[in-house]
Amino acid sequence: MGEDYNLWENFKKGKDYAVSEIYDRHVDFLFNYGKKFTADEDIVLDTIQDIFFDLIRNRKNLGSTDNIRLYLLKTFRRKLIRALEKNKKYGVMPDFQEEISPDISFSIEEQMIQDEESAQKIKLITEALHQLNQRQREILYYKFTCGFDYPEICELMSISYDTARQLVSRTIQSLKKSLPSKLAPLLFICLSKKR
């Protein structure tokens, strides 16, 4: 079994180092992911605190996993959406969009040298990415930035395997059509940038 599996099993057995290790490895990722849903850092931090509290409280009843990040992300996403819907319902977030989903964007400025030609490439790639809908940006984020495979993406987005593959394929085709062919390799470097 892998490192994640062993760490998770030690966490379930109550070994104190394991919860700290899991938290340290994933808290920044969860925080950055939560900020894609809302600018309210307090809700994001409260949700992170809630999932770790629940994990510690229920550790003996948890199933096994060999991908802790995916496990945490699924739990975090579900809890954060519930918290945002609750705030929306009570009017705390009056300007919130109808469907709660992450606002995925890709930081490509860091990928290129800041000269005139690079600025033009950045502009073309950024425009192409902004033309995608939220669902397309979300699936590319999971596939390329997070490095999740299709079964993990399906589990996270609650879609079928075929739908996930088709959505990724169609989104990539759409991007390729809207970009000059020489920018396609650069696009994938930008998408694969770890956050």
Side-chain angles (χ1 to χ4, degrees), residues 10 16 22 26-27 32 44 47 59 69 124 137 180 188 194:
N10 286 329
D16 290 334
I22 291 169
H26 301 287
V27 67
N32 288 331
V44 174
T47 304
R59 74 171 78 194
R69 178 169 283 184
L124 290 172
R137 287 193 301 267
F188 291 106
K194 296 294 184 193

Side-chain angles (χ1 to χ4, degrees), residues 2 5 10 13 27 29-30 39-41 55 60 81 83 88 90-91 93-94 96 108-109 115 118 126 130 145 168 171:
Y5 178 84
N10 286 329
K13 291 175 186 171
V27 67
F29 177 80
L30 292 173
D40 189 335
E41 292 183 2
L55 287 173
K60 291 180 181 174
I81 287 173
K88 183 179 169 186
Y90 294 112
M93 303 172 80
F96 205 75
I108 50 183
E109 289 81 3
D115 60 16
S118 294
T126 302
H130 283 292
T145 304
V168 168
T171 302

Side-chain angles (χ1 to χ4, degrees), residues 97 99 101-106 126-141 157 167-168 170-172 174-175:
Q97 61 197 30
E99 179 186 349
S101 60
D103 182 18
I104 304 295
S105 61
F106 298 92
T126 302
E127 286 172 1
L129 290 169
H130 283 292
Q131 289 175 6
L132 301 176
N133 63 42
Q134 285 184 327
R135 191 167 177 85
Q136 290 172 316
R137 287 193 301 267
E138 182 179 7
I139 201 162
L140 289 183
Y141 177 77
M157 294 181 73
L167 185 56
V168 168
R170 289 179 183 158
T171 302
I172 291 171
S174 172
L175 285 171

